[in-house]
Amino acid sequence: TLPGRPALIVALAALLATLAISPRLDLWSERTRFAGVAPQIPLRAWTDTPYQHLALGGLEVRHLYLSGQYAGSFPDPYVSETLAHTVACLSPRPGRVLALGGLERGALRFLLEHPVRELTLVEPDTGALAFLRPQLPAEDQRALVDPRVRLAHDDPRRFLARSGDAFQLMLLLEPDPVTLLRARLTTVEFYRLCARRLAPDGVVVVSVKTAPNVLTGETAALAGSLFRALGEAFPVVKATPGPDTLMIAGWNAEIVTLDPEVLAARWRQRGVASSVFAAELIPLLVPPERVRAQEAVLREAARDAVASRDDRPVSFLHALARRQRET
């Protein structure tokens, strides 16, 4: 429909000129986008996968953003080591472990210091792992090739449906479900799928951002929805204080415990050497009075909440609304 050959030549020339400057346009647009998400942090690298957009900022300490949502910083040995030892002590025998959600960014190598026989890291997004792997410290890269570590590039729900293994520790440490893809991992049906693969002495650990003291608004709705969904899949559900709450679930109240003395005994029995973690730290992480208060608030929030389900993933709506308020 162009009026003659000169117009066609001009159009082609304009397209070629755009292609010539497209790398600069891409860099400019990425920097502009990242500056809106993380002001004052220099952009280091980025990529797109079929699942998400990943952006990495910072210099010595790197900050990861997944589709615009902050996912974590690394290397941060203190935080990573504290998290790894804490979740490992939540299981009396973490022999076979299943993990979802960022364990490779620091916590994996410390978790392997416990009596782990096999650790399956399920990562559906192969592009994300390929992007992050060269950015990790050497210690974390070595942990990924430890003979006990098994990388499963599969959808977590499909993996659990096909697997015949029984896990003694299941770590569901995904970021908040601000996408429907992540919300699929916070429903009653998913937790029941986990229950089918949880050993009798096993523990499921779910992370969620709550609040240091009072749960209100969308934070209460999100936390209450997850707590209720877990309660429909497991007979025992407990929770650590916020803001970085860990909900733990399983079959037996003697196994699923936040008793500081029991957790400290597990830590001492394993004889793991650490410069930042000790048995004396555990009562500060899970003080009984704060655990009781947190669980009471979560039970109240769960009574007012709707459990997230496959056909109605309300956790997605609550997480998205909270993110909108924050941004």
Side-chain angles (χ1 to χ4, degrees), residues 210-213 215 227 239-246 289-299:
T210 56
N213 297 309
L215 283 182
F227 199 77
T240 67
D244 298 314
T245 293
L246 297 175
E289 65 282 358
R290 288 195 63 200
V291 168
R292 286 192 295 269
Q294 178 79 331
E295 290 175 353
V297 170
L298 285 171
R299 282 193 294 269

Coordinates of all heavy atoms in Angstrom, one line a residue, residues 210-213 215 227 239-246 289-299:
T210 N 5.3 -10.9 57.1 CA 4.1 -10.5 57.9 C 4.4 -9.1 58.5 O 4.6 -8.2 57.7 CB 3.9 -11.6 59.0 OG1 5.0 -11.8 59.8 CG2 3.4 -12.9 58.4
A211 N 4.5 -9.1 59.8 CA 4.7 -7.8 60.4 C 5.4 -8.1 61.8 O 5.2 -9.2 62.4 CB 3.4 -7.0 60.6
P212 N 6.2 -7.2 62.3 CA 6.8 -7.4 63.6 C 5.8 -7.6 64.8 O 6.1 -8.4 65.7 CB 7.7 -6.2 63.8 CG 7.9 -5.6 62.5 CD 6.6 -5.9 61.7
N213 N 4.7 -6.8 64.7 CA 3.8 -6.8 65.8 C 2.3 -7.1 65.4 O 1.8 -8.2 65.7 CB 3.9 -5.5 66.6 CG 5.3 -5.3 67.2 OD1 5.8 -6.2 67.9 ND2 5.9 -4.2 66.9
L215 N -0.8 -7.6 62.8 CA -1.2 -8.0 61.4 C -2.5 -7.3 61.0 O -3.5 -7.4 61.7 CB -1.4 -9.5 61.3 CG -0.2 -10.4 61.2 CD1 -0.6 -11.8 61.1 CD2 0.7 -10.0 60.1
F227 N -2.1 -19.6 56.2 CA -2.2 -20.3 57.4 C -3.4 -21.3 57.3 O -3.3 -22.5 57.8 CB -2.3 -19.4 58.6 CG -2.0 -20.0 59.9 CD1 -0.7 -20.2 60.3 CD2 -3.0 -20.3 60.8 CE1 -0.4 -20.8 61.5 CE2 -2.7 -20.9 62.0 CZ -1.4 -21.1 62.4
A239 N 4.1 -21.2 63.6 CA 4.6 -20.1 62.9 C 5.6 -19.3 63.8 O 5.4 -19.2 65.0 CB 3.5 -19.1 62.4
T240 N 6.7 -18.8 63.2 CA 7.7 -18.0 63.9 C 7.2 -16.5 63.9 O 6.4 -16.1 63.0 CB 9.0 -18.1 63.3 OG1 9.0 -17.5 62.0 CG2 9.5 -19.5 63.1
P241 N 7.7 -15.7 64.7 CA 7.4 -14.3 64.7 C 7.8 -13.6 63.4 O 8.7 -14.1 62.7 CB 8.2 -13.7 65.9 CG 8.5 -14.9 66.8 CD 8.6 -16.0 65.9
G242 N 7.2 -12.5 63.1 CA 7.5 -11.7 61.9 C 8.7 -10.8 62.2 O 9.3 -10.8 63.3
P243 N 9.1 -10.0 61.1 CA 8.4 -9.9 59.8 C 8.7 -11.0 58.8 O 8.0 -11.2 57.9 CB 9.0 -8.6 59.3 CG 10.3 -8.4 59.9 CD 10.2 -9.1 61.3
D244 N 9.8 -11.8 59.0 CA 10.2 -12.9 58.1 C 9.6 -14.1 58.7 O 10.4 -14.9 59.3 CB 11.7 -12.9 57.9 CG 12.2 -11.7 57.2 OD1 11.5 -11.2 56.2 OD2 13.2 -11.2 57.6
T245 N 8.3 -14.4 58.6 CA 7.7 -15.5 59.3 C 7.9 -16.8 58.5 O 7.9 -16.8 57.3 CB 6.2 -15.2 59.4 OG1 6.0 -14.1 60.3 CG2 5.4 -16.4 59.9
L246 N 8.1 -17.8 59.3 CA 8.2 -19.2 58.7 C 7.0 -20.0 59.3 O 6.9 -20.1 60.5 CB 9.5 -19.9 59.1 CG 10.8 -19.3 58.6 CD1 12.0 -20.0 59.1 CD2 10.8 -19.3 57.0
E289 N 6.9 -16.7 74.0 CA 5.8 -15.8 74.1 C 5.4 -15.1 72.8 O 4.3 -14.9 72.5 CB 6.1 -14.7 75.2 CG 7.3 -13.8 74.9 CD 8.6 -14.4 75.1 OE1 8.7 -15.5 75.6 OE2 9.6 -13.7 74.8
R290 N 6.4 -14.8 72.0 CA 6.2 -14.2 70.7 C 5.6 -15.2 69.7 O 4.8 -14.9 68.9 CB 7.4 -13.6 70.1 CG 7.9 -12.3 70.9 CD 8.9 -11.5 70.0 NE 8.3 -11.1 68.8 CZ 9.0 -10.7 67.7 NH1 10.4 -10.8 67.8 NH2 8.5 -10.3 66.6
V291 N 6.0 -16.5 69.8 CA 5.5 -17.5 69.0 C 4.0 -17.7 69.3 O 3.2 -17.8 68.4 CB 6.2 -18.9 69.2 CG1 5.5 -20.0 68.5 CG2 7.6 -18.8 68.6
R292 N 3.7 -17.8 70.6 CA 2.2 -17.9 71.0 C 1.4 -16.7 70.5 O 0.3 -16.9 69.9 CB 2.1 -18.0 72.5 CG 2.6 -19.4 73.0 CD 2.1 -19.5 74.5 NE 2.8 -18.6 75.3 CZ 4.0 -18.8 76.0 NH1 4.6 -20.0 75.8 NH2 4.5 -17.9 76.7
A293 N 1.9 -15.5 70.6 CA 1.2 -14.3 70.1 C 1.0 -14.4 68.6 O 0.0 -14.0 68.1 CB 2.0 -13.1 70.6
Q294 N 2.1 -14.7 67.9 CA 2.0 -14.8 66.4 C 1.0 -15.8 66.0 O 0.2 -15.6 65.1 CB 3.4 -15.1 65.8 CG 3.4 -15.2 64.3 CD 3.4 -13.9 63.6 OE1 2.9 -12.9 64.1 NE2 4.0 -13.8 62.4
E295 N 1.0 -17.0 66.6 CA 0.1 -18.0 66.2 C -1.4 -17.7 66.5 O -2.3 -18.0 65.7 CB 0.4 -19.4 66.9 CG 1.8 -19.9 66.3 CD 2.2 -21.2 67.1 OE1 1.6 -21.5 68.1 OE2 3.2 -21.8 66.6
A296 N -1.6 -17.0 67.6 CA -2.9 -16.5 68.0 C -3.5 -15.5 66.9 O -4.6 -15.6 66.5 CB -2.9 -15.9 69.4
V297 N -2.6 -14.6 66.5 CA -3.0 -13.6 65.5 C -3.3 -14.3 64.2 O -4.2 -13.9 63.5 CB -1.9 -12.5 65.4 CG1 -2.2 -11.6 64.2 CG2 -1.8 -11.7 66.7
L298 N -2.4 -15.2 63.8 CA -2.6 -15.9 62.5 C -3.9 -16.8 62.6 O -4.6 -16.9 61.5 CB -1.4 -16.8 62.2 CG -0.2 -16.1 61.8 CD1 1.0 -17.0 61.7 CD2 -0.4 -15.4 60.4
R299 N -4.2 -17.4 63.7 CA -5.5 -18.2 63.8 C -6.7 -17.3 63.6 O -7.6 -17.6 62.9 CB -5.5 -18.9 65.1 CG -4.7 -20.2 65.1 CD -5.0 -21.1 66.3 NE -4.7 -20.4 67.6 CZ -3.5 -20.5 68.2 NH1 -2.6 -21.3 67.6 NH2 -3.2 -19.9 69.3

